[in-house]
Amino acid sequence: MKETNMIRKIVRLKQLVQRWRRRIPPGGSLAVYVGDEHEHRRFVIPTRFINLPVFASLLNKAEEAFGFQTTGRLVLPCDVVFFEKLLNALERNERRFGALDLDDFTEMFSESLTVD
């Protein structure tokens, strides 16, 4: 009985450690949370993206919406679908899209939704 109990504790501890490892972003990246105030979705992005104009705009919007916070999550006030498209564009061709600001991406994505 005692050995079975000990095995359960070890398995549970191992599961807990694995769960925490998934929460820690790999080196050279950071976690940001995107979405409305009721539900945030976690994204892990390369830290170099923070220097891009679009992220500077998103960070300014976050400061306006939430104030300057030194603790807690980094929450960006952005639609999840928009953010997924933004990341997809940057991951495909950072050199081409890296200089665009938030307005450029908004215009680009709204044009892709327009049906002729």
Side-chain angles (χ1 to χ4, degrees):
M1 275 285 185
K2 289 182 181 182
E3 189 174 321
T4 304
N5 215 7
M6 183 61 100
I7 291 173
R8 281 188 191 142
K9 287 181 181 181
I10 291 171
V11 168
R12 182 152 165 66
L13 181 61
K14 187 175 179 180
Q15 290 171 341
L16 183 65
V17 167
Q18 287 175 344
R19 202 174 317 138
W20 276 105
R21 279 189 183 154
R22 279 186 244 129
R23 292 184 169 266
I24 299 172
S29 61
L30 73 136
V32 296
Y33 294 83
V34 176
D36 64 22
E37 66 235 25
H38 302 294
E39 187 174 341
H40 292 131
R41 182 156 164 218
R42 183 177 188 261
F43 290 88
V44 177
I45 63 169
T47 53
R48 70 181 183 278
F49 282 6
I50 293 298
N51 294 319
L52 300 177
V54 67
F55 280 94
S57 296
L58 287 171
L59 290 170
N60 286 334
K61 285 183 73 169
E63 185 178 5
E64 290 171 10
F66 310 118
F68 183 73
Q69 299 175 353
T70 58
T71 60
R73 299 174 167 183
L74 176 54
V75 180
L76 300 177
C78 181
D79 178 69
V80 172
V81 174
F82 177 89
F83 195 76
E84 287 173 335
K85 289 180 180 182
L86 170 69
L87 288 182
N88 189 352
L90 291 172
E91 288 168 353
R92 277 187 294 128
N93 195 338
E94 185 177 346
R95 178 175 281 174
R96 177 178 173 199
F97 297 114
L100 300 180
D101 65 13
L102 185 58
D103 293 334
D104 296 326
F105 278 104
T106 302
E107 184 179 327
M108 184 173 72
F109 297 149
S110 67
E111 287 174 359
S112 69
L113 296 175
T114 306
V115 178
D116 294 342

